[in-house]
Amino acid sequence: MAYQHNHEAMGSQVHAYKADIFCRDETRVDWHSKALWLLREKRDRAAGSLPEWEQLRQLGSEIKLHTLTNLAQYLETFEQNCLANGIKVHWAKDGAEHNRIVHEILASHKVKKLVKSKSMLTEECHLNPYLEQRGIEVIDTDLGERIIQLAKMPPSHIVVPAIHMKKEEVGDLFHDKLGTKAGESDPLYLTRAARAHLREQFLSADAAMTGVNMAIADKGAVVVCTNEGNADMGANLPKLQLHSMGIDKVVPDIDSAAVLLRTLARNATGQPVTTYSAFYRGPQVDGEMHVIIVDNGRTEMMKDKILAESLKCIRCGGCLNTCPVYRRSGGYSYNYTIPGPIGIAVGATHDNTNSIAWACTLCGSCTYVCPTKVPLDKIIHHHRRLKAEAGKLPYGKNAYMPLVGKFMASTTLLNCSMGAARTALRILPGSLLKPFSGAWGKYRELPVAPNSSFEAWFKKHRSL
Amino acid sequence: MSSKHEILNALKLSALTNHPMPSIDVAPRVEDLVGQFETNLKTVAGTLHREGGLAALQAKVDELIAQGLQVISLVEGVTANRDVPPTAHELRDIDYAVIPGDVGVAENGAIWVNNKNLGHRVTPFICENLILALPIHKIVPNMHQAAKEVTLDAGEFGVFIAGPSKTADIEQALVVGAHGACSLNVYLV
Ligand code: SF4
């Protein structure tokens, strides 16, 4: 089926290969790029309308940095205050432990159906298949998440997970799975159908699970942001609610959360704030509330001063929308649950193809839009260095990079070779040279070579 | 060793050096708070009713009931035709819920609602349409002020609501009315 066209892109392959699959359909690539650029434009308008935007970015960055540098203390304060509010707190060092804890809680309450709202952390831990194998039905309730869940795909974006799908494909899928009219692709009609379908799920669920946008240490409360209201429809109907959070989600107080709430939605979609920003400071009457605090590699990242800064991220998705590589290679080309610049920052270490650190032009646009000033280009550059030091340069780069180093180090060699290249570019036909430019030259024309080198130009002109 | 202690111990190896907490001091825009609020509420697809206060709200509720709709009111002084049921699930057929808002935020059109005034926590989400009654003097310039004004005691739930529920998950087309309320009307009282 059409909506499954991206399946072949699954599995661990180098970024360029997977991007190539995505790029086969040129009109789709253009459409994808434009859809995301629209979000970037909305973001720019929202940011531009606030005179204090840069101040908020600076505050966001410093609040997160402050919390990260005192993380143990804040996590303990958070736990104590949660306990005082009647919230049960669990700690998980990795995804496996997280899943085990979740399953134990659900099993002890004999939960058959769990409604979930968007959580990249539970994606990271592969929670859904774990629970499904143990007989628990898991319903993702964010519309985009539900679409890709029905299509049996992972998310391709962290805020708009089904951004790669066209409305006709969603129409076919819903016709198949929800019995909507054949050939119907009107977003309003399809959304209403999903609303009716998901209402039944909310009303019949035994438990609800959400991610956490911010965890407030001095109150012992968690903040959950959605536009659809699915997290709150979920958490406030059944008596059992679970919230999974990475250790990096904690902030000192409500004032800090307010700063981040001001930038999160503006940077994600250009809205002044998400429709619902809910603060849970305890279970409902006769209910139970659990918070699971998860490490899963985060403390490891914190041992590296540069990588640690990626934990300032508040998952707004802004860096994906602006990234020229993400927009033209799609979310499935990154070998990680989280794609785009932030996906490289937090995922490159575990990328066994050692290629995603190169899925970046180092243009720095991501760093420029980030509401908490995560230095994404610096982190990505650092990953390349770590890969090189570990002798894990991707195929191709491994072979020629040492040579490049030698060339660069020797003035004579460099001048000679550059001279040769200029001559070659001038006199040899493009078709003969193009294969040497690799993937770079595939969709580009080779540059017109200047007549002389910069070195020669400089010698000639510096006396002027 | 428990996972908690393993995590806390691992944090001792963090490479980050101490960074002070910044002081949050952002200049508020205080001119025409109601006007700002109205503009931003519109941006998030909500509607403001400035005039008439509680009487206008009651008139609206009477009109809805006359149309045969199911209305629940948690606002003192406004009567409707449904009471708070024993279980949250019984709210599934509510057409309109009328709820008091505590604090309005001019900068983004959001309104803080606390569970003390909700009957069931799910009320503002499960209703087909939501009406909030907001005291006019409770509009503050921005989220920093709001953070100081909101109440959230131990065991409570509170939510900033900015407009009706919405989604743009199908080809970026904005659709109002996802899982929560399909419309939001705010009455200044
Ligand atoms: S790195 Fe910054 S821009 Fe990217 S998702 Fe995180 S917070 Fe948003």
Side-chain angles (χ1 to χ4, degrees):
Chain A
M1 259 181 218
Y3 53 79
Q4 284 173 336
H5 78 282
N6 253 313
H7 262 204
E8 54 184 313
M10 300 298 130
S12 203
Q13 286 285 353
V14 294
H15 174 268
Y17 172 80
K18 288 195 176 183
D20 210 20
I21 295 171
F22 184 75
C23 288
R24 273 180 212 155
D25 185 348
E26 220 172 291
T27 48
R28 182 181 288 267
V29 176
D30 283 350
W31 168 83
H32 186 262
S33 175
K34 274 198 196 108
L36 289 151
W37 188 252
L38 203 69
L39 285 175
R40 162 75 208 258
E41 284 177 330
K42 287 185 187 157
R43 174 256 171 223
D44 283 354
R45 275 198 293 277
S49 69
L50 279 192
E52 64 266 38
W53 181 256
E54 285 307 316
Q55 189 191 358
L56 291 173
R57 286 182 72 217
Q58 186 61 29
L59 282 172
S61 170
E62 291 191 32
I63 289 166
K64 290 295 276 187
L65 210 51
H66 166 74
T67 324
L68 288 172
T69 55
N70 298 279
L71 199 51
Q73 173 214 322
Y74 278 116
L75 285 169
E76 287 200 278
T77 310
F78 172 70
E79 181 188 38
Q80 278 160 19
N81 290 321
C82 280
L83 295 174
N85 296 334
I87 301 166
K88 297 186 195 277
V89 180
H90 312 260
W91 300 72
K93 24 177 216 308
D94 52 26
E97 189 175 12
H98 165 264
N99 293 351
R100 207 159 53 236
I101 292 169
V102 172
H103 180 246
E104 270 167 26
I105 300 169
L106 298 179
S108 72
H109 286 79
K110 303 200 169 41
V111 169
K112 288 262 158 296
K113 186 189 282 187
L114 174 73
V115 281
K116 255 181 67 206
S117 88
K118 186 157 54 195
S119 158
M120 291 314 291
L121 176 58
T122 61
E123 282 289 332
E124 188 184 308
C125 298
H126 306 291
L127 177 69
N128 287 19
Y130 181 91
L131 293 179
E132 281 156 5
Q133 279 155 21
R134 284 156 186 79
I136 294 173
E137 189 183 0
V138 183
I139 312 280
D140 280 327
T141 59
D142 169 88
L143 176 58
E145 292 267 307
R146 186 65 182 145
I147 291 170
I148 56 168
Q149 187 182 35
L150 290 172
K152 298 194 171 27
M153 289 174 169
S156 77
H157 187 287
I158 60 177
V159 173
V160 275
I163 185 77
H164 59 287
M165 281 179 78
K166 300 205 165 177
K167 58 182 195 283
E168 290 76 18
E169 292 165 347
V170 178
D172 286 349
L173 176 69
F174 278 16
H175 172 62
D176 237 29
K177 310 275 178 174
L178 305 181
T180 52
K181 279 183 270 170
E184 188 63 73
S185 64
D186 174 35
L188 177 65
Y189 168 82
L190 296 173
T191 302
R192 284 288 180 273
R195 175 184 170 92
H197 155 72
L198 283 163
R199 283 224 145 198
E200 291 312 313
Q201 309 301 323
F202 287 123
L203 286 159
S204 57
D206 311 298
M209 176 156 203
T210 83
V212 168
N213 288 88
M214 295 136 212
I216 302 178
D218 77 338
K219 287 269 186 283
V222 298
V223 183
V224 185
C225 304
T226 71
N227 278 321
E228 299 181 4
N230 54 316
D232 307 297
M233 267 295 267
N236 295 316
L237 275 168
K239 295 282 183 195
L240 177 61
Q241 64 187 103
L242 287 74
H243 306 271
S244 289
M245 58 173 267
I247 53 169
D248 50 318
K249 291 295 172 191
V250 70
V251 295
D253 46 29
I254 293 196
D255 289 351
S256 322
V259 171
L260 301 178
L261 284 173
R262 291 195 72 188
T263 53
L264 176 65
R266 285 187 170 99
N267 216 60
T269 57
Q271 293 166 253
V273 67
T274 40
T275 302
Y276 303 101
S277 312
F279 292 57
Y280 291 88
R281 206 184 167 196
Q284 43 175 314
V285 184
D286 304 329
E288 242 179 63
M289 175 170 166
H290 295 258
V291 171
I292 304 128
I293 302 173
V294 187
D295 179 349
N296 206 27
R298 287 162 177 75
T299 51
E300 194 56 40
M301 284 172 69
M302 286 184 70
K303 292 181 191 161
D304 181 311
K305 212 172 164 162
I306 297 175
L307 298 187
E309 282 207 59
S310 48
L311 297 176
K312 293 195 295 182
C313 171
I314 57 170
R315 300 286 189 267
C316 70
C319 58
L320 279 66
N321 304 341
T322 200
C323 175
V325 177
Y326 170 82
R327 280 187 283 118
R328 289 175 185 81
S329 60
Y332 294 143
S333 59
Y334 286 83
N335 290 329
Y336 192 60
T337 327
I338 302 175
I342 183 62
I344 302 177
V346 298
T349 309
H350 306 289
D351 167 35
N352 57 12
T353 70
N354 302 311
S355 68
I356 67 160
W358 278 269
C360 166
T361 64
L362 295 182
C363 73
S365 179
C366 47
T367 302
Y368 171 76
V369 301
C370 178
T372 51
K373 297 197 174 182
V374 175
L376 290 153
D377 53 345
K378 186 167 142 201
I379 295 169
I380 295 169
H381 181 263
H382 183 59
H383 270 302
R384 293 185 185 177
R385 190 191 194 105
L386 293 176
K387 292 281 180 193
E389 279 170 8
K392 287 179 175 168
L393 288 173
Y395 176 75
K397 292 190 175 60
N398 219 349
Y400 72 75
M401 283 313 239
L403 295 178
V404 171
K406 280 202 191 101
F407 268 138
M408 298 294 207
S410 151
T411 322
T412 331
L413 263 179
L414 185 66
N415 283 340
C416 274
S417 61
M418 290 314 267
R422 275 190 305 278
T423 312
L425 277 170
R426 271 200 311 277
I427 60 172
L428 295 179
S431 53
L432 221 134
L433 278 173
K434 266 212 161 186
F436 294 103
S437 63
W440 189 91
K442 214 156 169 187
Y443 300 102
R444 294 177 178 88
E445 284 313 313
L446 293 173
V448 178
N451 282 320
S452 76
S453 71
F454 173 74
E455 174 95 359
W457 178 90
F458 186 72
K459 277 203 182 114
K460 196 168 148 208
H461 290 88
R462 69 176 163 180
S463 52
L464 294 180
Chain B
M1 195 168 27
S2 73
S3 294
K4 172 182 169 181
H5 288 105
E6 267 187 52
I7 294 170
L8 295 179
N9 274 343
L11 283 171
K12 291 190 185 132
L13 303 174
S14 165
L16 291 172
T17 43
N18 198 29
H19 191 95
M21 179 68 185
S23 69
I24 301 167
D25 186 11
V26 183
R29 271 179 299 286
V30 292
E31 70 291 347
D32 189 19
L33 286 182
V34 178
Q36 280 186 53
F37 179 76
E38 184 169 28
T39 309
N40 287 311
L41 185 63
K42 214 191 228 160
T43 310
V44 297
T47 309
L48 185 70
H49 303 265
R50 286 181 181 232
E51 311 294 332
L54 275 185
L57 179 50
Q58 181 67 61
K60 176 71 186 170
V61 169
D62 292 343
E63 187 191 313
L64 295 169
I65 293 172
Q67 287 168 26
L69 296 169
Q70 299 299 308
V71 188
I72 187 171
S73 167
L74 293 136
V75 173
E76 223 171 292
V78 176
T79 24
N81 60 352
R82 284 283 292 269
D83 294 325
V84 176
T87 70
H89 291 69
E90 290 165 80
L91 291 165
R92 60 183 304 170
D93 63 337
I94 292 290
D95 296 303
Y96 280 82
V98 185
I99 292 168
D102 287 347
V103 180
V105 190
E107 159 230 332
N108 57 24
I111 294 154
W112 177 258
V113 167
N114 181 282
N115 74 294
K116 276 187 201 131
N117 308 314
L118 294 182
H120 296 284
R121 289 183 177 190
V122 80
T123 311
F125 310 103
I126 199 170
C127 58
E128 282 292 312
N129 300 281
L130 180 61
I131 297 179
L132 292 173
L134 179 69
I136 187 163
H137 64 276
K138 286 294 192 65
I139 298 180
V140 299
N142 59 33
M143 290 296 274
H144 313 294
Q145 260 79 23
K148 308 225 173 335
E149 292 283 321
V150 300
T151 57
L152 187 70
D153 292 337
E156 284 185 351
F157 163 72
V159 54
F160 284 104
I161 300 180
S165 94
K166 49 185 96 65
T167 181
D169 273 344
I170 301 178
E171 268 201 31
Q172 291 289 292
L174 178 72
V175 176
V176 171
H179 311 295
C182 294
S183 74
L184 173 71
N185 281 279
V186 180
Y187 283 76
L188 288 184
V189 295

